[in-house]
Amino acid sequence: MPFAWFAFAFLAAGGMWAYTAGRVRALSLKFDGRGSLHSSPNFHAAFVMLATLFPMILSLALVALLDGPVPQYFLIAELPDRIARLPLAQLNQYVDQLASSAKQPDVRLPDTFDNAARRRLLVLMGEFRLTGGLCTLVAGATGFTLARNFQTVNAPIRLYVERIIRVLFFISAATAVFITLGIVVSLAIEGGRFFSLVNPFDFVFGTTWNAQTSQDFGALPLFFGTIAIALIAMVVAAPIGVLSAVYLAEYAPRRLRNFAKPALEVLAGIPTVVYGFFAIILVAPIIRSIARAINDLSWVPDGFLAAQPNSALAAGVVMGIMIVPFVSSLTDDALRAVPAELRDGALSLGSTKSEMIRHILLPAARPGIIAALLLGVSRAFGETMIVVMAAGQRAQITPDMTSDITTVTAQIVTLLVGDSAFDSSKTLSAFALGGVLFLVTLVLNLFAIRVVRRYGLSNG
């Protein structure tokens, strides 16, 4: 059994046992005639479970963190002098190779000593995990014992549980903040290294992109392709998403709504690579055929449309189809959140249903609709697989959307695929592009917050 599954089963069993024991203890206190409990038995059970699981999780996290370094350290201490005296880089490489081969113990290594060293490493790993499991058990037993001692009739267990939950919420929020800060810092550092090699003005306003040669880093064609495909996607997603939400919220019968809304949201769960295949196999050939038919018209100049196998139009249309469920679901939630009194008041004053929707419902739900559309724009800017598969890889600025173009995300994938040194301008340019994409998304989010607050206050 893999270590992760074993740890999960271990924690689940320990948590269930601690919960049951805590509840039984609380019920025994309740029926012993010592008075009524300050907190319900469920709070007692949750308190014992949390006090048991928290040290166990910390112990298992420490074991998982040290699972590789500690056994390898003890193995290095047992190696003969001819290997232990190797340079540190070679010694670490040798031990890492043994650790990698330890994942396939049935495969024999060509050297007898290496096989013996690998077997010894497996033994050390097993001993370390066994010791870690025993330490985890001791930590859980210690927390369980201390929690049981706190279980009395007058103990404010509910307050303890609420404090623990607040601490967990704080840790979760702090983790998200630190992850965001880590992303910002990494992008800033690597982007700064790139801009120390390339002029920022040439990067933002240059029209020639050829990062593979580490010479031309004009990213304007990438920005153009990203914006063009995002606009095409929103031209498809915005009207379909909003109108479908209005229909489902106001016109659709209950049976149809109960079927159509989940069916529409299923589209949000389809992997984007499937949308990419859909764009290549079905949508792109149709667009190319239409473009060729237009080129064949007598009054159309020769080569008016590029009619490429990959095109911005194909990627944008399919991306819009992918974004429809996000826009529709959020818009539907915003429409249904409008108080029924506004609908009933407009209808009672003689408004038709369409007038009520145009003049009352949509303005009242405007903050939610704007948020849904801006979320769709952010989703379009950050999409990768569809544009990689369907839009093409040519960095160019062209008004012809039947030609192949590329985007920021597609180039990030291209630049970071394969073995690349993280000290060349080619690889560092991916971080610069990621930083620009991050800033654009941040500006969109700030704009969304400002617009929602403005219209929310005006409507509230």
Side-chain angles (χ1 to χ4, degrees):
M1 176 185 294
F3 179 74
W5 285 106
F6 173 78
F8 177 78
F10 196 47
L11 290 174
M16 292 176 61
W17 179 77
Y19 185 91
T20 303
R23 183 175 175 82
V24 170
R25 170 69 173 169
L27 292 175
S28 66
L29 292 174
K30 180 178 180 179
F31 294 110
D32 279 349
R34 302 179 185 177
S36 59
L37 291 174
H38 177 277
S39 305
S40 67
N42 289 334
F43 280 107
H44 281 259
F47 175 71
V48 176
M49 181 185 69
L50 291 173
T52 303
L53 286 180
F54 189 67
M56 291 178 68
I57 292 174
L58 289 180
S59 178
L60 281 176
L62 189 62
V63 171
L65 184 65
L66 301 177
D67 185 48
V70 171
Q72 293 178 21
Y73 173 80
F74 284 105
L75 177 67
I76 292 174
E78 297 179 6
L79 291 174
D81 292 340
R82 65 182 179 86
I83 297 179
R85 292 178 179 176
L86 290 173
L88 183 60
Q90 296 182 15
L91 182 61
N92 290 334
Q93 183 180 5
Y94 174 74
V95 176
D96 290 340
Q97 290 176 353
L98 290 178
S100 300
S101 63
K103 298 177 182 179
Q104 298 177 343
D106 296 335
V107 179
R108 294 186 59 82
L109 297 176
D111 189 271
T112 305
F113 177 80
D114 291 346
N115 282 302
R118 181 178 63 177
R119 289 194 298 270
R120 180 56 182 164
L121 180 60
L122 288 171
V123 172
L124 291 173
M125 292 172 63
E127 292 176 351
F128 177 77
R129 291 179 179 180
L130 179 60
T131 304
L134 293 176
C135 292
T136 301
L137 189 61
V138 171
T142 302
F144 175 79
T145 303
L146 293 176
R148 293 268 291 186
N149 293 333
F150 273 97
Q151 282 189 280
T152 59
V153 174
N154 297 322
I157 300 296
R158 178 177 61 84
L159 299 180
Y160 297 155
V161 173
E162 291 177 351
R163 290 174 183 173
I164 294 174
I165 297 299
R166 283 199 295 268
V167 170
L168 293 177
F169 284 159
F170 174 78
I171 293 174
S172 300
T175 301
V177 172
F178 281 121
I179 290 175
T180 303
L181 289 177
I183 294 173
V184 172
V185 170
S186 63
L187 290 176
I189 293 175
E190 302 299 335
R193 293 175 60 192
F194 172 76
F195 288 121
S196 66
L197 302 174
V198 177
N199 189 336
F201 185 86
D202 295 337
F203 174 77
V204 175
F205 298 103
T207 58
T208 303
W209 177 267
N210 190 9
Q212 300 299 328
T213 61
S214 299
Q215 293 178 353
D216 299 319
F217 294 97
L220 192 60
L222 309 186
F223 302 149
F224 172 82
T226 302
I227 296 173
I229 293 178
L231 288 177
I232 295 172
M234 292 311 299
V235 168
V236 174
I240 296 177
V242 173
L243 293 178
S244 63
V246 171
Y247 175 75
L248 291 176
E250 298 299 323
Y251 291 102
R254 181 178 296 273
R255 289 185 178 180
L256 179 59
R257 171 184 169 80
N258 293 337
F259 169 77
K261 186 173 175 61
L264 186 64
E265 292 180 347
V266 166
L267 295 175
I270 298 177
T272 56
V273 67
V274 177
Y275 283 106
F277 280 119
F278 174 69
I280 292 175
I281 296 174
L282 183 62
V283 178
I286 293 176
I287 292 176
R288 190 182 187 188
S289 300
I290 295 174
R292 285 180 171 179
I294 294 175
N295 286 335
D296 291 339
L297 296 176
S298 59
W299 50 271
V300 174
D302 294 337
F304 178 71
L305 297 177
Q308 295 292 326
N310 295 335
S311 64
L313 190 57
V317 169
V318 175
M319 190 185 298
I321 296 173
M322 181 198 67
I323 296 174
V324 164
F326 297 95
V327 177
S328 176
S329 180
L330 293 175
T331 303
D332 179 73
D333 293 338
L335 294 174
R336 294 178 68 84
V338 176
E341 291 82 0
L342 295 178
R343 295 181 175 86
D344 297 338
L347 294 175
S348 64
L349 291 175
S351 300
T352 63
K353 195 163 190 175
S354 62
E355 291 173 340
M356 180 271 294
I357 292 173
R358 292 197 309 272
H359 300 294
I360 301 298
L361 188 62
L362 291 178
R366 189 182 301 162
I369 298 174
I370 293 174
L373 295 177
L374 290 176
L375 177 63
V377 174
S378 299
R379 188 77 173 84
F381 278 145
E383 175 53 36
T384 304
M385 287 307 301
I386 294 176
V387 294
V388 168
M389 299 175 67
Q393 293 292 326
R394 191 191 308 183
Q396 62 173 337
I397 300 176
T398 174
D400 184 4
M401 292 296 101
T402 64
S403 63
D404 56 334
I405 61 176
T406 189
T407 64
V408 170
T409 54
Q411 285 302 308
I412 292 175
V413 172
T414 303
L415 293 170
L416 295 181
V417 168
D419 297 331
S420 300
F422 279 75
D423 56 355
S424 65
S425 55
K426 168 192 169 184
T427 306
L428 293 175
S429 64
F431 292 93
L433 292 174
V436 172
L437 199 62
F438 178 83
L439 289 176
V440 170
T441 305
L442 179 62
V443 170
L444 282 175
N445 290 335
L446 293 176
F447 179 72
I449 292 173
R450 183 174 180 179
V451 170
V452 168
R453 285 180 178 176
R454 176 182 177 183
Y455 286 108
L457 291 174
S458 64
N459 290 329

